[in-house]
Amino acid sequence: MKELRIGLIGAGTVGRGLIELLQTRAEVLRKRTGKELKIVAVADRSYAKKDFLKNQSFDVTDDASGLVQRADIDVVVELIGGLDPAKQWVMDALKSGKHVVTANKALLANHGAEIFRQARESGKEVGLEAAVAGALPVIRNLRRVWVGSEIQEMFGILNGTCNFIITRMQKENMAYEDALKIAQEKGFAEADPAFDVSGRDAAQKLAILSTLAFDHLVQESDIRVEGITELSPLDHAMAMRMGKVIRLLAVAKKASDGYHLRVHPALISSHHLLASVEEENNALFTEDPYCGPTMIVGRGAGGFPTASAVLGDIAAIARNPENEPEVWLSGEESLKVAADASYRFYLRFRTLDRAGVLASISRVLSDHEISIASMHQEEGPEPVDVVILTHHARESQLFGALDIINAMEMVRAPTVALRLEEPGQK
Amino acid sequence: MKELRIGLIGAGTVGRGLIELLQTRAEVLRKRTGKELKIVAVADRSYAKKDFLKNQSFDVTDDASGLVQRADIDVVVELIGGLDPAKQWVMDALKSGKHVVTANKALLANHGAEIFRQARESGKEVGLEAAVAGALPVIRNLRRVWVGSEIQEMFGILNGTCNFIITRMQKENMAYEDALKIAQEKGFAEADPAFDVSGRDAAQKLAILSTLAFDHLVQESDIRVEGITELSPLDHAMAMRMGKVIRLLAVAKKASDGYHLRVHPALISSHHLLASVEEENNALFTEDPYCGPTMIVGRGAGGFPTASAVLGDIAAIARNPENEPEVWLSGEESLKVAADASYRFYLRFRTLDRAGVLASISRVLSDHEISIASMHQEEGPEPVDVVILTHHARESQLFGALDIINAMEMVRAPTVALRLEEPGQK
C-alpha cells in the first residue's frame, strides 16, 4: 500500500487530536483513501514538555524550517496559527513541492492570495476547511456543491465564545462579565478574550468565506467590525419583548452598491433558524436563488472537530494527490465595498433622568433624518436606560448622530446601537 | 478550452433546472472548473411537447439507450428516477466508459452495490449528491469532511412533504387531510402522496446515508418504516404540553446489538435543533465522538436545489475527470440489524367511553411488562381519545400488546404509537 507522508507543525490541542485520529482511525482511513496516512515528523517548540509526543514512531523536533524542507514529506499540516512564522513555513512548504493543510484563518484572511498563487505555481493543494467553523463543511460546500450557485447573502455565527456568552446572557438574564467568566471557566474563552469578543476572529473567517462565495478578494480590513462587550441584560429582555434574539452575526451581502461586509451583534427574529444556534455552536446561513436558504450548524472549534476537518483535507489529497489544485479566486476582479447601509436600529442610551434629555436626543436624531418608531424608558436609579427603535436609517447618519449624543453631558456611557437583521428576507 | 460533454436523460423539473443553470451560469462554471460544461444531447420521452427543448444547440431525442452509447459524451446525467429502465441506462453508461451523475434514490437504495461495482471496474465516477436532500451537502460531507469520523447516530428529516404536513398540523391545529390538501395545492405533495407519507421516500434516502456513514450495505428493506397518516391534532397538542414536537425522523444508530434503522414519526424536545426544521425543509443531524452534534438544514427538493447538487457533481468531475472514483462501500461487511429496541412511547387509543376500558388496556400493557408513566383522557363524544405515556418498553412487547388491544371491540381505530427520541442524548 502506498503512503501519504505527513509533517505536522504545532502539536497543541488540534495537533494532538489529529495525531490521535490518524492513529485510532488508521484502518478506516486506509480503506477509505487507499493509502497509509503516516505522520513522519512533528515540529513543536515545546515538544520536550509534551508526553504524548514521546515514544512515537515519528520524528519529533523544534525545527519547523527543517521539517518543511524534508524530501520524505508529501503534506505539511500547519497548526500554529498567526502570521509569522507560519506564513514563511507555508510558503516554503509549497515552494519545495508539498501540499499544505492549514487551520490558520489569520494567514488566509490576510495573505490568502499570495499563498494560493504559490500553490498554483507549485501545482499543490492548500486545504483550509479547518480554518472556518471546525468540522462544519462550509468551505467544501461553497467550492463544490454550490459551484454554480450565486450566493446573495451569508450570515454566519462564526465565534463560539461570543455565541456562548450571548446565549447565556439571554437565557439566564446575566451580565456580560458573568457570562464571560463562565465561558472562561469552561475553556470557551481565553484569559484575554479581546480577539474573540471584539469580533475580529469572526471577521477573519468572514473574509475567507466571502472571498470564496463572491470570487472577489476580501481581506480582514474590508470588514466593519463591532463586538459584544457593551451588551446588557436589558438588551436581551427588550429583544425578547420584540420577538427577537441577539446574535453576533458575520454578514456578507451582494447589493447593487457593492458588497456589505460586517461583523456586529444584531437582533433577529426568534423564529429564524439562526436563533436556534445556541451555546458554543457555530453556523453558516446562506441564501442563493438556486439552492434557497440553507444552514449548517455545529461545533465550530475544539480539538477533535478542527482535527476532523484537517483530516478531511488530508484524506482528499491522499485519494487524489495529482488533482488540479483548488483556487482561491477564479478571477482577479477588485472588490467594491458599499460605503453605507440602511438598517432599522435598536438604540440604548444611558442617561441622567432629567427633563429635556429625551427632547435633546430626539432632536439630534431628527436632525440626522432618523425617525423614531418606539421608545421605552426603564424606571430605576440614575443613570437610566432609554431604548429607542428607529425606522430605517443610513448608518452614516446614525453614527453621526450618536457622536453628538455621546458627547452630551447627560449621556453617561457610549450608546449601544444594534442593527435589526432579517436573514433571507431580502 | 477543454470541454466536458454531458448527455442528459430526463428533462423534467430538475433536468430543466440543470439546463438553465448550465446556460445562465456558464461563465462562472468555466472559471471555476476550467472547462466548458456542454450539453450534447437530451433524451426525454415527451421531448416534442417541451418548448424549452426547442431551438437549443444540443440534440434532442427519445432514445436514451442510444444516448448512453454515444462516443461524444463524457458524463451521463440520469434524472428519470425509478428502477427500470434507469438501472439499465446507468449500467450501460458506465460500461461504455461514461461518468454518471444521478438523483435516483430508489436505484441507489436498491442497487447501489451493483452500480458502484461497475463504476469501479470502469474507473468512472457515480455522483449522487442530488439523491438525498437536494442541495444540502450531506453525501459529500459524509464522504469527505468526516472521512475519519465514526458516526454513532444520524437523525434525518428527509421528506419535505411530510415535514410540511406535520408542521402545518402543529402550528394551525389542522387535521392531516387538510394539511395534505394544502401541500398538494402548493406542489409539495403528489396527487397520490402514498410514497411520501408512508415514509418510504425517507427510507430510501436513509439507506443511502447509512450505507455511506457506517460502511455497511443498508438496503431499503432493512429499514422499519411507519408513516404519518394517522397523526391527529390531539397528538400535536399533547406533544406541545410535554414540551415536544412531532417530526418524521429517519433514524440510524450504531449500538452493541447491531444497527437500528427506522423511519417513523417521533416526539422530540421542542428545544432540539431538529424542532427548528419547519415547512418543506429537510435536515440531517449527526452525532459522532469527534465532530460532535452537527446539523445541515435547507431545501431538500425542488428543481433548482436538486439541479444545483447535480451540477456540483458534474463540476467535480470536470475539474478532475481522472480522479480515483468514490466507492460505495470500502469493505464488504454484512449488516447486523438490531432485532428489537427500547423506547418510551406515546400511545393514543381511540375507544368507547365505557367502564372497564382503561382497566382492560392497562392489564394488557402490564402483561407485556409495559409500565405507564402518565395517562390523559379527553372529554367528548364517543369514541374518545386516551393518551398514555409509557416508561421504557421493548418495541416487540409494545407491538405485541397493541395487537391485542387493537382487536378489542371497544377500541375503534388502530392505536397511534409514537416513540420519544432524544437525538444526541445517548
Side-chain angles (χ1 to χ4, degrees):
Chain A
M1 173 159 308
K2 287 182 188 165
E3 290 177 343
L4 185 84
R5 298 162 302 178
I6 300 163
L8 168 63
I9 305 177
T13 316
V14 178
R16 183 178 183 165
L18 179 66
I19 294 169
E20 191 176 326
L21 273 174
L22 283 166
Q23 291 173 342
T24 59
R25 305 291 294 159
E27 194 192 332
V28 71
L29 288 166
R30 260 195 301 275
K31 287 202 297 183
R32 292 183 181 176
T33 67
K35 295 236 169 62
E36 186 87 31
L37 307 187
K38 186 180 169 187
I39 302 185
V40 171
V42 174
D44 188 288
R45 59 183 179 183
S46 335
Y47 73 90
K49 292 184 206 151
K50 295 182 175 174
D51 283 345
F52 67 93
L53 293 177
K54 292 187 175 131
N55 303 313
Q56 295 276 17
S57 59
F58 46 74
D59 298 339
V60 179
T61 174
D62 59 1
D63 177 19
S65 309
L67 182 147
V68 300
Q69 300 293 350
R70 279 176 67 152
D72 63 346
I73 285 178
D74 304 305
V75 183
V76 168
V77 177
E78 183 273 301
L79 297 176
I80 56 163
L83 298 183
D84 182 42
K87 185 185 167 197
Q88 194 58 49
W89 293 337
V90 163
M91 292 295 282
D92 287 348
L94 290 168
K95 283 179 192 162
S96 70
K98 275 101 180 157
H99 298 286
V100 167
V101 175
T102 178
N104 192 330
K105 56 191 176 284
L107 183 59
L108 293 162
N110 290 285
H111 302 291
E114 191 180 346
I115 288 164
F116 274 87
R117 207 175 300 124
Q118 182 61 51
R120 201 179 180 84
E121 264 175 43
S122 304
K124 297 296 165 184
E125 193 70 82
V126 176
L128 71 159
E129 187 63 63
V132 182
L136 305 188
V138 293
I139 303 270
R140 202 166 298 270
N141 206 27
L142 288 176
R143 281 181 157 171
R144 293 292 177 82
V145 181
W146 295 332
V147 63
S149 74
E150 187 173 15
I151 287 177
Q152 305 291 316
E153 296 190 340
M154 287 196 297
F155 297 84
I157 293 178
L158 300 178
N159 184 277
T161 309
C162 289
N163 205 56
F164 181 88
I165 291 171
I166 286 174
T167 56
R168 280 296 160 115
M169 289 178 71
Q170 170 195 333
K171 293 188 153 183
E172 299 173 33
N173 192 33
M174 196 178 260
Y176 167 79
E177 291 73 18
D178 298 329
L180 170 62
K181 195 152 165 266
I182 296 177
Q184 286 169 326
E185 282 163 10
K186 286 184 170 269
F188 295 146
E190 307 281 341
D192 176 1
F195 182 66
D196 289 311
V197 300
S198 67
R200 267 198 71 197
D201 172 80
Q204 291 183 349
K205 294 166 178 169
L206 184 67
I208 295 170
L209 293 179
S210 42
T211 295
L212 296 175
F214 300 134
D215 239 338
H216 284 72
L217 182 62
V218 178
Q219 307 213 63
E220 191 183 343
S221 53
D222 297 317
I223 299 169
R224 176 172 189 132
V225 183
E226 299 165 23
I228 65 164
T229 54
E230 303 308 319
L231 294 177
S232 80
L234 176 62
D235 299 327
H236 287 281
M238 291 300 297
M240 203 200 303
R241 202 181 292 189
M242 297 160 61
K244 296 184 184 290
V245 297
I246 300 171
R247 291 290 182 272
L248 181 76
L249 295 185
V251 181
K253 297 179 192 174
K254 194 175 182 172
S256 54
D257 60 341
Y259 290 91
H260 294 253
L261 302 160
R262 282 171 178 71
V263 172
H264 53 63
L267 277 73
I268 57 173
S269 163
S270 60
H271 296 294
H272 195 278
L273 273 175
L274 283 164
S276 68
V277 181
E278 300 188 333
E279 301 290 321
E280 74 273 27
N281 279 319
N282 281 27
L284 183 66
F285 177 91
T286 49
E287 169 82 41
D288 88 292
Y290 303 113
C291 301
T294 306
M295 189 174 84
I296 304 180
V297 53
R299 298 275 178 273
F304 279 125
T306 308
S308 296
V310 169
L311 184 54
D313 282 344
I314 294 173
I317 291 168
R319 293 194 77 238
N320 291 289
E322 304 305 325
N323 258 11
E324 177 78 11
E326 297 276 3
V327 295
W328 181 238
L329 292 164
S330 59
E332 286 291 328
E333 296 156 79
S334 68
L335 179 85
K336 186 185 166 206
V337 178
D340 204 354
S342 169
Y343 280 97
R344 297 193 66 189
F345 279 89
Y346 163 102
L347 305 174
R348 177 167 54 80
F349 304 93
R350 197 144 180 77
T351 75
L352 298 181
D353 193 10
R354 305 281 157 80
V357 171
L358 287 185
S360 306
I361 289 175
S362 310
R363 196 175 322 113
V364 176
L365 292 177
S366 154
D367 289 348
H368 288 77
E369 292 168 18
I370 298 158
S371 127
I372 295 174
S374 68
M375 188 179 290
H376 171 93
Q377 182 175 340
E378 290 278 293
E379 215 166 344
E382 282 193 323
V384 296
D385 284 311
V386 177
V387 172
I388 284 177
L389 195 64
T390 76
H391 289 295
H392 269 274
R394 307 297 302 171
E395 270 184 350
S396 53
Q397 295 276 43
L398 192 283
F399 288 110
L402 293 190
D403 282 347
I404 297 173
I405 292 169
N406 287 337
M408 291 178 179
E409 204 211 322
M410 292 170 297
V411 173
R412 307 313 289 235
T415 300
V416 170
L418 305 177
R419 293 163 186 81
L420 273 61
E421 272 283 10
E422 298 191 323
Q425 299 298 308
K426 58 171 275 177
Chain B
M1 177 162 304
K2 287 183 189 165
E3 291 176 343
L4 185 83
R5 297 162 303 177
I6 300 163
L8 169 63
I9 305 177
T13 315
V14 178
R16 183 179 183 165
L18 179 65
I19 294 169
E20 191 176 326
L21 273 175
L22 284 166
Q23 292 172 342
T24 58
R25 304 291 292 160
E27 194 192 331
V28 71
L29 288 166
R30 259 195 302 274
K31 286 202 297 184
R32 291 183 183 177
T33 67
K35 295 234 171 59
E36 186 87 29
L37 306 187
K38 185 180 171 187
I39 302 186
V40 171
V42 174
D44 188 288
R45 58 185 179 179
S46 333
Y47 72 90
K49 293 183 207 150
K50 294 183 174 173
D51 283 344
F52 67 94
L53 293 178
K54 293 189 175 130
N55 302 315
Q56 294 276 17
S57 59
F58 46 74
D59 298 340
V60 180
T61 175
D62 59 1
D63 177 19
S65 308
L67 182 148
V68 301
Q69 299 294 348
R70 280 176 66 151
D72 62 346
I73 285 178
D74 304 304
V75 183
V76 169
V77 177
E78 184 273 300
L79 297 177
I80 57 164
L83 298 183
D84 184 42
K87 185 184 168 198
Q88 195 57 50
W89 293 337
V90 163
M91 292 295 283
D92 287 349
L94 290 168
K95 282 178 193 163
S96 70
K98 276 102 180 154
H99 298 286
V100 167
V101 176
T102 178
N104 192 328
K105 55 189 176 286
L107 184 60
L108 294 162
N110 290 286
H111 302 291
E114 194 180 342
I115 287 164
F116 275 88
R117 207 176 298 124
Q118 183 59 52
R120 202 180 179 82
E121 264 175 43
S122 304
K124 297 294 165 185
E125 193 70 82
V126 177
L128 71 160
E129 188 63 63
V132 182
L136 305 188
V138 294
I139 304 269
R140 202 166 297 270
N141 206 28
L142 288 176
R143 282 181 157 171
R144 293 293 176 81
V145 182
W146 295 332
V147 64
S149 75
E150 188 174 15
I151 287 177
Q152 305 290 316
E153 296 190 340
M154 284 196 299
F155 297 84
I157 293 178
L158 300 178
N159 185 276
T161 309
C162 290
N163 205 57
F164 181 87
I165 292 171
I166 287 174
T167 55
R168 280 295 159 117
M169 290 178 71
Q170 169 195 333
K171 293 191 153 181
E172 298 174 32
N173 193 33
M174 196 178 262
Y176 167 79
E177 291 74 17
D178 298 329
L180 170 61
K181 194 152 165 267
I182 296 176
Q184 285 169 327
E185 284 164 7
K186 285 183 171 269
F188 295 146
E190 307 281 340
D192 176 1
F195 182 67
D196 288 312
V197 299
S198 66
R200 266 198 71 197
D201 171 81
Q204 290 183 349
K205 294 166 178 169
L206 184 66
I208 295 170
L209 293 179
S210 41
T211 295
L212 295 174
F214 300 134
D215 239 337
H216 283 72
L217 183 62
V218 178
Q219 307 213 63
E220 191 183 343
S221 54
D222 296 318
I223 299 169
R224 175 173 191 133
V225 182
E226 299 164 23
I228 64 163
T229 54
E230 303 307 318
L231 293 177
S232 80
L234 177 61
D235 299 327
H236 287 281
M238 292 299 297
M240 203 200 304
R241 203 180 293 188
M242 297 160 62
K244 295 184 184 290
V245 298
I246 301 172
R247 291 290 182 272
L248 181 76
L249 295 185
V251 182
K253 297 179 191 174
K254 193 175 186 174
S256 53
D257 60 342
Y259 289 91
H260 294 253
L261 301 161
R262 281 170 179 72
V263 171
H264 53 63
L267 278 74
I268 57 173
S269 164
S270 60
H271 296 296
H272 195 277
L273 273 175
L274 283 163
S276 67
V277 181
E278 300 188 334
E279 303 290 322
E280 74 274 24
N281 279 319
N282 281 26
L284 183 66
F285 178 92
T286 49
E287 169 81 43
D288 87 293
Y290 304 113
C291 299
T294 306
M295 190 173 85
I296 304 179
V297 53
R299 298 275 177 274
F304 280 124
T306 309
S308 297
V310 169
L311 184 55
D313 282 344
I314 294 174
I317 291 168
R319 294 193 77 236
N320 291 289
E322 305 305 325
N323 258 12
E324 175 78 12
E326 297 276 2
V327 295
W328 182 237
L329 293 164
S330 58
E332 286 292 325
E333 296 156 77
S334 67
L335 179 84
K336 188 186 165 207
V337 178
D340 205 353
S342 170
Y343 280 98
R344 297 193 65 187
F345 279 90
Y346 164 100
L347 304 173
R348 177 167 54 80
F349 303 94
R350 198 145 179 76
T351 77
L352 299 180
D353 193 11
R354 305 281 156 80
V357 172
L358 287 185
S360 305
I361 289 175
S362 309
R363 197 176 320 111
V364 177
L365 292 176
S366 155
D367 288 349
H368 287 77
E369 294 169 14
I370 298 158
S371 133
I372 296 174
S374 68
M375 187 179 290
H376 171 92
Q377 183 175 338
E378 290 280 293
E379 216 166 344
E382 283 194 321
V384 295
D385 284 310
V386 178
V387 171
I388 284 177
L389 195 65
T390 76
H391 288 293
H392 268 275
R394 307 296 302 172
E395 270 183 352
S396 54
Q397 295 276 44
L398 192 281
F399 289 110
L402 293 189
D403 284 345
I404 296 172
I405 291 169
N406 288 337
M408 289 177 180
E409 205 211 322
M410 291 170 298
V411 173
R412 307 311 289 238
T415 300
V416 170
L418 305 178
R419 294 165 184 80
L420 273 60
E421 272 284 10
E422 298 190 322
Q425 299 296 308
K426 59 172 275 175

